[in-house]
């Protein structure tokens, strides 16, 4: 037990700033959501109007949650809970992989297992670390909601729901680390599973039956196969049910049990899915830095493209479900349909645009990862071997940025392909079928900015490349995708590139925002390329 305690303290010390940032950000976001909603939708009548609009618009429900009435506390849970759970999922999967597969990949796990700690103490310390972190996360969310003036009982349930979802994804991350031989692959599949859980919950919410007054929704079955959906079923503030939390806790326990079973049968450094053996000699095409960048990242790029294709398929599948919802509740949606048509768009186009925002975030994350891989190569010392050849630093950086740009385009192309195939298969003949390609193209400028920004950070402040790269993307998502929902000032929301993504309509699309962002991305990339020859390359 003393060994587990020592290893737990080591994990706590290693994660102290990173974990503190996650917990404070999520807790403050909960508090800020209450303050912003109180300021923006202060009376119950305005909240009821918003709920009627939301329950009649599946595209909104995919991004928000399960409506449970216009009271301030229930409305706040509807607006922000799913995003808090999404953040909890990412925090836990990255934490699980960082202390398991990444440790084996670096060789530190083998050193630790050769000591008195043995093989099981590190896993026990990681699980203890995750459990404590999620308890603190639950407390942070509850305090955030209570700090905004919401009821203590419902706030505690909301906090426990967020922490339980985080615990479920801790188990998912631990299991993914057993299947893949690299931390990058384990992180990629874990993050994809978090997004799939988010979309399944959205699919269930968007297709569930709506009450006659338009104030509440009963989730459909897809929401019940998502850990994020399980947290919603607590009905915080309106039902305060705790029994649904047994599901995410049970999932975490089941995943951990499978991890123990797998670990008892495999060697340190091995994995369930064995990677291919490398060739004795490189292929003829592997002669330039771009080919090397592709060889290093082809697995993760394929994973991001698969995530985009799955997002596209879900988008198309929701198209037919939306039509059924509109036809079965025409009295509620008639005014909304007229309003949308007056804006020159359709309900399907709205849904495609909303879900393609998520695909745009995936594409941006793929671009960020291309630059982060450069930093990992530099920190591991392998970059110096590459640069000892007649390859300039500008060409080296340009190759990784070029691969990042190609990856961003591929992710959005596969998203559009999935949506187009799914819409055509469902018999949708609206103009949105053709517009999916334009909508995918509209997401590219914002994603390319998130390729150029970390490149500048890599040149100017190499050690901050990884944390700052992800932090900039997370901040952009919070401001651009969720800023309007929680009532942030428009000047603050406009700081996010995602805010300026063009919206494709039948009456004419304003592409000016996209062109501006392409220009900004090009200037930032040029700054990085011009500056990179002036800095040293090393492992620090």
């Amino acid at each position: 037990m003393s060994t587990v305690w020592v290893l737990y303290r080591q994990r706590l010390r290693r994660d102290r700033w990173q974990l503190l940032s996650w917990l404070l950000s999520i807790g403050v976001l909960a508090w800020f959501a209450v303050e912003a909603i109180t300021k923006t939708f202060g009376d119950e009548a305005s909240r009821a109007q918003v709920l009627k609009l939301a329950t009649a618009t599946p595209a909104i429900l995919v991004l928000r949650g399960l409506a449970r009435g216009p009271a301030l506390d229930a409305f706040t849970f509807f607006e922000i809970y799913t995003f808090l759970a999404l953040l909890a999922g990412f925090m836990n999967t990255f934490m699980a992989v960082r202390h398991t597969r990444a440790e084996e990949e670096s060789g530190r796990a083998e050193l630790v297992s050769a000591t008195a700690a043995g093989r099981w103490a590190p896993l026990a310390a990681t699980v203890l670390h995750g459990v404590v972190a999620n308890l603190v996360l639950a407390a942070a969310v509850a305090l955030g909601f209570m700090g905004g003036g919401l009821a203590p009982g419902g706030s505690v349930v909301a906090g426990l729901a967020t922490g339980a979802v985080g615990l479920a994804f801790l188990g998912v991350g631990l299991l993914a680390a057993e299947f893949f031989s690299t931390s990058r692959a384990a992180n990629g599949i874990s993050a994809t599973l978090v997004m799939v859980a988010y979309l399944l919950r959205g699919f269930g919410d968007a297709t569930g039956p709506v009450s006659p007054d338009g104030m509440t929704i009963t989730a459909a079955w897809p929401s019940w196969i998502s850990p994020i959906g399980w947290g919603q079923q607590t009905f915080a503030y309106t039902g305060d049910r705790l029994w649904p939390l047994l599901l995410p806790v049970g999932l975490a326990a089941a995943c951990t049990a499978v991890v123990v079973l797998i670990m008892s049968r495999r060697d340190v450094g091995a994995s369930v899915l064995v990677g291919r053996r490398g060739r004795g000699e490189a292929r003829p095409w592997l002669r330039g830095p771009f080919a090397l960048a592709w060889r290093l990242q082809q697995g993760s790029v394929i994973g991001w493209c698969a995530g985009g294709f799955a997002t596209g398929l879900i988008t198309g599948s929701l198209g037919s479900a939306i039509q059924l919802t509109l036809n079965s509740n025409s009295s509620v949606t008639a005014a909304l349909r007229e309003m949308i048509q007056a804006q020159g768009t359709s309900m399907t186009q709205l849904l495609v645009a909303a879900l393609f925002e998520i695909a745009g975030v995936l594409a941006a994350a793929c671009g960020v990862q291309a630059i982060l891989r450069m930093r990992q190569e530099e920190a591991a010392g392998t970059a110096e071997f590459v640069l000892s050849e007649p390859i300039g630093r500008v060409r080296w950086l340009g190759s990784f940025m070029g691969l990042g740009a190609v990856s961003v385009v591929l992710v959005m192309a596969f998203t559009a392909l999935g949506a187009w195939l799914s819409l055509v298969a469902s018999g949708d003949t609206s103009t949105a079928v053709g517009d999916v390609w334009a909508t995918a193209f509209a997401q590219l400028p914002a994603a390319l900015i998130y390729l150029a920004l970390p490149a500048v950070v890599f040149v100017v402040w190499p050690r901050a490349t990884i944390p700052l790269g992800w932090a900039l993307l997370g901040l952009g998502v919070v401001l651009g995708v969720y800023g309007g929902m929680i009532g942030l000032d428009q000047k603050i929301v406009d700081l996010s590139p995602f805010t300026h993504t063009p919206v494709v309509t039948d009456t004419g699309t304003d592409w000016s925002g996209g062109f501006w962002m392409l220009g900004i991305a090009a200037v930032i990339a040029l700054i990085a390329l011009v500056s990179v020859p002036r800095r040293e390359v090393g492992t620090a």
Side-chain angles (χ1 to χ4, degrees):
M1 186 61 192
S2 60
T3 306
V4 173
W5 179 248
V6 170
L7 290 172
Y8 166 68
R9 289 177 59 192
Q10 179 266 336
R11 282 155 173 71
L12 197 60
R13 178 175 175 75
R14 183 180 171 190
D15 286 354
R16 60 190 187 281
W17 297 118
Q18 193 173 11
L19 190 58
L20 187 64
S21 301
W22 275 107
L23 296 173
L24 280 178
S25 300
I26 296 174
V28 169
L29 187 59
W31 168 80
F32 188 79
V34 183
E35 294 292 326
I37 290 170
T38 304
K39 180 181 177 182
T40 309
F41 309 109
D43 59 281
E44 192 163 309
S46 62
R47 292 194 292 270
Q49 281 186 332
V50 173
L51 273 185
K52 285 183 180 179
L53 178 66
T55 54
T57 315
I60 296 176
L61 296 175
V62 170
L63 294 178
R64 298 196 182 184
L66 202 61
R68 295 290 299 172
L72 176 62
D73 44 17
F75 188 83
T76 303
F77 190 70
F78 158 74
E79 286 274 4
I80 197 65
Y81 158 75
T82 56
F83 186 55
L84 298 179
L86 186 71
L87 292 177
F90 286 135
M91 183 189 89
N92 279 274
T93 52
F94 294 154
M95 181 198 300
V97 174
R98 183 166 59 251
H99 292 295
T100 51
R101 178 53 60 186
E103 290 292 289
E104 293 190 40
E105 199 175 3
S106 66
R108 283 192 291 267
E110 193 168 7
L111 292 175
V112 173
S113 63
T115 68
R119 188 159 185 197
W120 299 106
L123 175 64
T126 301
V127 172
L128 176 63
H129 185 43
V131 170
V132 173
N134 282 293
L135 287 174
V136 177
L137 173 65
V141 172
L143 290 173
F145 282 142
M146 284 190 279
L150 302 189
S155 299
V156 171
V157 174
L160 289 175
T162 309
V165 171
L167 199 61
F169 283 111
L170 176 75
V172 171
L174 291 173
L175 192 56
E178 295 298 310
F179 274 81
F180 296 93
S181 59
T182 66
S183 58
R184 289 186 303 278
N187 274 326
I189 194 66
S190 299
T192 301
L193 289 173
V194 174
M195 291 301 299
V196 168
Y198 182 80
L199 291 174
L200 281 173
R201 186 279 319 158
F203 189 92
D205 293 348
T207 56
V210 182
S211 65
D213 63 356
M215 292 293 105
T216 61
I217 293 178
T218 302
W221 65 267
S223 189
W224 281 97
I225 54 177
S226 162
I228 298 176
W230 297 338
Q232 278 194 144
Q233 293 300 321
T234 57
F235 296 160
Y237 303 106
T238 55
D240 290 342
R241 303 189 300 182
L242 291 178
W243 67 261
L245 300 185
L246 294 175
L247 296 172
V249 173
L251 176 61
C255 289
T256 305
V258 175
V259 167
V260 170
L261 185 64
I262 294 173
M263 283 186 65
S264 65
R265 297 168 183 265
R266 72 168 177 88
D267 293 330
V268 175
S271 59
V272 175
L273 300 178
V274 181
R276 290 183 304 170
R277 298 182 61 182
R279 296 170 58 89
E281 296 181 358
R283 293 179 186 276
W285 57 265
L286 192 59
R287 290 179 176 174
F290 184 87
L292 177 62
W294 167 250
R295 179 67 181 83
L296 291 172
Q297 300 182 68
Q298 60 182 357
S300 60
V301 172
I302 292 172
W304 288 113
C305 289
F309 187 71
T311 305
L313 288 177
I314 292 174
T315 304
S317 301
L318 271 171
S320 57
I322 287 174
Q323 295 306 323
L324 291 175
T325 303
L326 294 178
N327 294 335
S328 63
N329 201 9
S330 57
S331 61
V332 177
T333 58
L336 176 65
R337 189 186 296 115
E338 290 178 5
M339 182 180 70
I340 292 173
Q341 288 173 347
Q343 294 176 351
T345 185
S346 68
M347 192 69 79
T348 306
Q349 283 175 318
L350 270 184
L351 178 74
V352 169
L355 287 185
F356 271 38
E357 276 191 344
I358 297 174
V361 174
L362 288 179
C366 187
V368 170
Q369 198 172 46
I371 303 302
L372 301 193
R373 183 57 196 256
M374 283 192 76
R375 175 56 190 163
Q376 290 170 339
E377 291 295 307
E378 183 181 32
T382 51
E384 291 185 65
F385 293 112
V386 174
L387 291 173
S388 65
E389 298 294 323
I391 297 173
R393 295 177 192 178
V394 173
R395 189 181 170 197
W396 178 55
L397 176 60
S399 298
F400 276 82
M401 291 178 69
L403 176 67
V406 171
S407 305
V408 165
V409 173
L410 283 176
V411 171
M412 291 313 305
F414 273 96
T415 305
L417 178 64
W420 183 80
L421 288 175
S422 190
L423 285 169
V424 170
S426 67
D428 192 330
T429 57
S430 67
T431 55
V433 177
D435 287 343
V436 295
W437 301 98
T439 307
F441 179 77
Q443 298 291 335
L444 293 179
L448 290 175
I449 283 183
Y450 285 102
L451 170 67
L453 279 176
V456 169
V457 177
F458 172 72
V459 172
V460 177
W461 191 9
R463 295 186 63 180
T465 305
I466 295 177
L468 205 53
W470 290 122
L472 287 171
L473 178 59
L475 187 62
V477 173
V478 170
L479 296 181
V481 180
Y482 294 92
M485 295 182 187
I486 58 178
L488 285 177
D489 188 271
Q490 191 59 41
K491 292 180 180 177
I492 299 176
V493 174
D494 285 343
L495 294 175
S496 169
F498 294 111
T499 307
H500 307 285
T501 297
V503 178
V504 178
T505 65
D506 294 336
T507 56
T509 304
D510 181 5
W511 292 97
S512 58
F515 292 135
W516 272 106
M517 286 195 290
L518 278 177
I520 292 171
V523 170
I524 297 173
L526 188 62
I527 292 173
L529 290 170
V530 169
S531 305
V532 69
R534 301 181 181 179
R535 85 165 178 88
E536 296 292 333
V537 175
T539 57

